[in-house]
Amino acid sequence: MLEKINKLIEEVESFGASTKEQVEEYRIKWLSKKGEITVLFDDFREVPNELKKELGQKLNELRTKAQDKINALKEVLESQKDSGQSKNIDLTLPAFPTLQSGSRHPLSIVKNQIIDIFARIGFTVSDGREIEDDWHNFTALNTPENHPARDMQDTFYVSINPEMVLRTQTSSVQVHIMGYQKPPIRTISPGRVYRNEAISARAHCQFHQVEGLYIDEKVSFADLKQTLLYFSKEMFGAETKIRLRPSYFPFTEPSAEMDISCTICKGKGCAVCKQSGWVEILGCGMVDPKVLENCGIDPNKYTGFAFGMGIERIAMLKYQIKDLRLFFENDVRFLKQFTSA
Ligand code: DAH
């Protein structure tokens, strides 16, 4: 019997397996009810007392070794399966560690939606500059030096050249476009803007805007309203209402601010709309004839409208995000939530 046990110990020690089935086969061979080790334990009862001690220890050693070996092999095979090393290996997969595929930032998602909506009614996309001269950011837009409207936006000036600023608004792109393109002009300009603001849940020193500009013969305020109504319904749903309130911007006359019916409470009143049922989303108006003139366009022949909106604001309303800072912190737990959008 001792010989048999020693032979089995050797077999157990040298045993290796490359499939789960082989491991199971051996478990049955050794440890099942009729397995060799179990049978040996049955035979053990017949062993004379003086041999029991030595044989018993050996038998226990065998059983433990067999059990340990089976467990260890199972574990190895299981972990190989998890890391893709089982029989069906895909050699085209990237090597470990694999990079998780990313997703678009919520601001990019919303920006692309805005571009899509305006593209459907014939608006192209134009680019401007983030470091801008005083003329494009202010003066050409009817905001000369010492004009009180300059105080509406706290400006970052470039220290080595105070004529240059980090643009405070994408309205500056209007001036570029009108400088190189003759009407009809129908374009939107998304981009980053900067203001010297204290960072909080509602304000940041950098954010994103989309500027819209439409210049042609006989463009009217009714065209502006219709365009913005179309945009609002496409962006926030067909039931969305808009209202325009008189306002002031130096580069439009008349000027207005536009509200949409609150997307959260549908106009009934809630914390987001401060119980008013309306939330402001953009500024707009008819391009001031002086601005057309500054940009070399004949104000007697052409009229136009313009509008500007904050992308963060639209995204916050669309996704019910309460803190502006989340857009800039790049916390993966926040960004992950937009993977399917
Ligand atoms: N530039 C303005 C701002 O940043 C927004 C704006 C208002 C843009 C009226 C326009 C406009 O084109 O017509 O507050």
Side-chain angles (χ1 to χ4, degrees), residues 59-130:
L59 207 47
N60 276 329
E61 183 190 332
L62 170 64
R63 186 167 58 181
T64 314
K65 279 196 166 155
Q67 194 59 61
D68 287 353
K69 187 73 172 220
I70 283 168
N71 291 345
L73 283 169
K74 269 189 187 161
E75 216 167 278
V76 170
L77 289 171
E78 200 58 38
S79 73
Q80 280 177 351
K81 192 177 97 201
D82 288 348
S83 57
Q85 292 171 9
S86 62
K87 255 199 280 172
N88 306 317
I89 304 169
D90 182 353
L91 294 173
T92 64
L93 284 174
F96 183 82
T98 47
L99 288 175
Q100 284 191 358
S101 55
S103 58
R104 276 194 207 291
H105 191 281
L107 291 178
S108 297
I109 295 171
V110 171
K111 180 185 82 178
N112 290 342
Q113 282 173 346
I114 296 172
I115 291 173
D116 277 356
I117 292 170
F118 281 105
R120 294 203 281 276
I121 50 170
F123 280 75
T124 59
V125 176
S126 313
D127 242 350
R129 302 173 185 163
E130 290 185 23

Side-chain angles (χ1 to χ4, degrees), residues 169-185:
Q169 50 186 354
T170 43
S171 302
S172 57
V173 191
Q174 285 187 25
V175 183
H176 286 287
I177 300 161
M178 288 192 266
Y180 62 72
Q181 194 183 327
K182 293 289 147 239
I185 297 170

Side-chain angles (χ1 to χ4, degrees), residues 153 168-171 174 195 209 211-212 249 251-252 256 283-285 306-309:
Q153 300 163 0
T168 58
Q169 50 186 354
T170 43
S171 302
Q174 285 187 25
R195 290 187 197 174
Q209 288 187 331
E211 189 75 13
F249 298 100
F251 33 86
T252 41
C284 60
F307 56 87
M309 65 183 104

Side-chain angles (χ1 to χ4, degrees), residues 307-320:
F307 56 87
M309 65 183 104
I311 302 183
E312 283 79 358
R313 180 134 186 84
I314 306 285
M316 285 170 96
L317 284 171
K318 229 182 136 66
Y319 295 118
Q320 303 188 26

